[in-house]
Amino acid sequence: MTDEFYMRRALRLARRGEGWVSPNPLVGAVLVREDRIIGAGYHRRFGDAHAEINALRQAQEPVQGATVYVTLEPCSHFGKTPPCVEALIASRPARVVIGTADPNPLVAGRGIEALRAAGIATTLGILAKECRELNERFFKFMTSGAPFVTIKVAQTLDGRVATTTGHSRWISSPAARKFAHRLRSIHDAILVGSGTVLADDPELTVRHVRGRNPLRLIVDSRLKLPLTAKVFTRQSEARTIVAATDRADREKRKLLKDRGIETLLIAADDNGRVDMGKLFQELGKRQISSIFVEGGPAIVTSLLKEKLADRLVIIVAPKILGQGIDAVGDLGNVYMEEATKIDVRRVYRKGGDIVIDGSPGK
């Protein structure tokens, strides 16, 4: 078998931790001797043992002389757990094959250097593109300090997200809505604007799949939302933070605080609304490494216009609505060449809907 074969096995293992390990990366490890897998493991949950340690613990025979495949460079520092690279060196494998280097400044090549200094043959870059894509949220956060931002839009074939009256349930199929809940579960936070809360009164929790509830982020510049909104209830299930400007009502801020809801004051943009770039900078300081944006159109338009989105997931329902509310507002484009170009990574189906998954140009 090839190095690529075993690295793919490690990648499949790593994905099992999705939704549970953030802000840590997804990592999988496979131990191989003479084309036999003698141990395997993955990072299961934040704070628990890393993939390499779990693989070593599950090894069915001594690892000395074997080959270790790991999707990300082994850590070389003390964090929630001891350095993985020390445990690997102590087990004396003949070779370690690494998918991609770790961008964390606390690691950043030190794990690879330690392995080679210990006389262990170390190969870097096997399925590197796939390994980096697996941890694109982690890589963005580690290299910029800002969270990775995913926008999800569910729209009709003619680009509407609601009727002229604001009715939008349901544009997408049950399978697509389940998929959206899966996306919620793998991000640290879910963000919507006040318009979406007023129109739909969503819970913004994970219900259709197994996974943890993300932090709920509500952008409400002047705190106009009613306290009866579902996002302001049951904080034990999912915590809520409201982003507002200094023009927000002080009494409403106090009432929210009494419910355990923080009002995060952010500088206003030129339109008097929350400056989204500054909001993301503040969230990054709070170790929120990924944000899932579910609307509405004003928020989506702002993020696309300011080039703050890293991933765009468009769910297109095979329906034509005619007049209605546009998925995206005015981006200020005058010529076709100014249009936001999407690097489409994959296109697939969920139920009767088509999902377009890509990265908007910056």
Side-chain angles (χ1 to χ4, degrees):
M1 300 294 182
T2 64
D3 286 343
E4 288 79 6
F5 174 84
Y6 291 115
M7 190 60 73
R8 287 193 178 91
R9 292 289 295 269
L11 281 165
R12 286 198 294 271
L13 277 172
R15 291 189 183 95
R16 294 184 184 180
E18 200 164 39
W20 301 104
V21 303
S22 181
N24 281 355
L26 297 164
V27 185
V30 176
L31 313 180
V32 178
R33 185 194 304 281
E34 298 175 351
D35 281 339
R36 293 181 295 111
I37 293 178
I38 62 172
Y42 65 98
H43 187 26
R44 296 173 177 270
R45 190 180 294 268
F46 177 71
D48 288 355
H50 290 184
E52 302 93 320
I53 303 303
N54 284 329
L56 292 171
R57 288 173 179 172
Q58 293 180 17
Q60 300 165 2
E61 58 188 76
V63 178
Q64 185 173 357
T67 299
V68 177
Y69 293 86
V70 60
T71 56
L72 187 71
E73 176 184 2
C75 65
S76 55
H77 65 290
F78 280 89
K80 292 285 184 181
T81 61
C84 293
V85 71
E86 293 184 3
L88 284 177
I89 291 171
S91 68
R92 303 308 302 172
R95 183 172 174 240
V96 175
V97 180
I98 299 168
T100 184
D102 190 337
N104 186 339
L106 297 175
V107 184
R110 294 182 182 86
I112 296 168
E113 292 173 3
L115 289 168
R116 289 173 174 166
I120 298 172
T122 305
T123 301
L124 174 66
I126 301 300
L127 298 185
K129 180 177 180 293
E130 291 87 340
C131 290
R132 284 193 295 269
E133 184 176 315
L134 173 74
N135 279 307
E136 60 183 353
R137 298 185 294 277
F138 174 76
F139 271 63
K140 162 75 182 295
F141 183 61
M142 279 293 125
T143 55
S144 70
F148 184 95
V149 178
T150 299
I151 294 176
K152 188 273 291 184
V153 175
Q155 65 176 52
T156 60
L157 197 60
D158 53 345
R160 312 298 186 204
V161 294
T163 67
T164 53
T165 65
H167 187 262
S168 61
R169 293 188 177 179
W170 294 103
I171 288 176
S172 55
S173 65
R177 295 199 295 273
K178 183 176 180 179
F179 168 64
H181 277 236
R182 174 62 180 161
L183 290 174
R184 287 181 181 182
S185 74
I186 64 174
H187 288 77
D188 292 346
I190 179 171
L191 182 148
V192 300
S194 57
T196 295
V197 176
L198 284 172
D200 299 336
D201 196 18
E203 294 180 47
L204 301 183
T205 55
V206 175
R207 300 181 303 281
H208 301 317
V209 299
R210 179 175 172 269
R212 64 180 181 179
N213 286 323
L215 170 71
R216 298 182 291 200
L217 293 170
I218 314 301
V219 180
D220 185 10
S221 298
R222 297 195 182 185
L223 292 186
K224 296 295 186 181
L225 289 173
L227 294 175
T228 54
K230 291 177 181 175
V231 292
F232 296 148
T233 64
R234 293 187 289 188
Q235 297 302 300
S236 60
E237 292 184 9
R239 193 163 63 93
T240 301
I241 292 179
V242 183
T245 67
D246 59 6
R247 301 177 70 180
D249 183 85
R250 289 179 177 271
E251 182 61 28
K252 181 73 75 67
R253 285 160 56 184
K254 181 180 182 303
L255 292 172
L256 288 171
K257 184 178 180 181
D258 291 342
R259 295 189 177 194
I261 298 168
E262 178 185 3
T263 300
L264 184 59
L265 295 183
I266 301 294
D269 61 16
D270 294 339
N271 297 312
R273 303 188 184 99
V274 168
D275 185 305
M276 299 302 292
K278 289 183 172 60
L279 172 60
F280 292 159
Q281 290 173 10
E282 178 60 32
L283 295 173
K285 294 175 184 176
R286 296 175 175 226
Q287 298 300 298
I288 295 172
S289 64
S290 61
I291 298 173
F292 184 56
V293 179
E294 285 206 81
I299 293 289
V300 171
T301 302
S302 174
L303 295 181
L304 290 176
K305 196 170 186 176
E306 296 176 39
K307 301 187 182 302
L308 293 173
D310 299 291
R311 181 184 178 191
L312 187 59
V313 179
I314 305 175
I315 301 173
V316 182
K319 302 172 183 177
I320 295 177
L321 191 58
Q323 291 297 313
I325 298 174
D326 292 334
V328 181
D330 183 14
L331 294 177
N333 297 327
V334 177
Y335 302 104
M336 186 58 67
E337 56 265 29
E338 296 174 338
T340 299
K341 296 176 178 62
I342 308 300
D343 178 15
V344 178
R345 294 193 299 196
R346 56 183 69 90
V347 178
Y348 47 94
R349 297 186 67 171
K350 290 291 180 182
D353 302 327
I354 297 170
V355 179
I356 302 171
D357 189 342
S359 303
K362 294 192 176 184

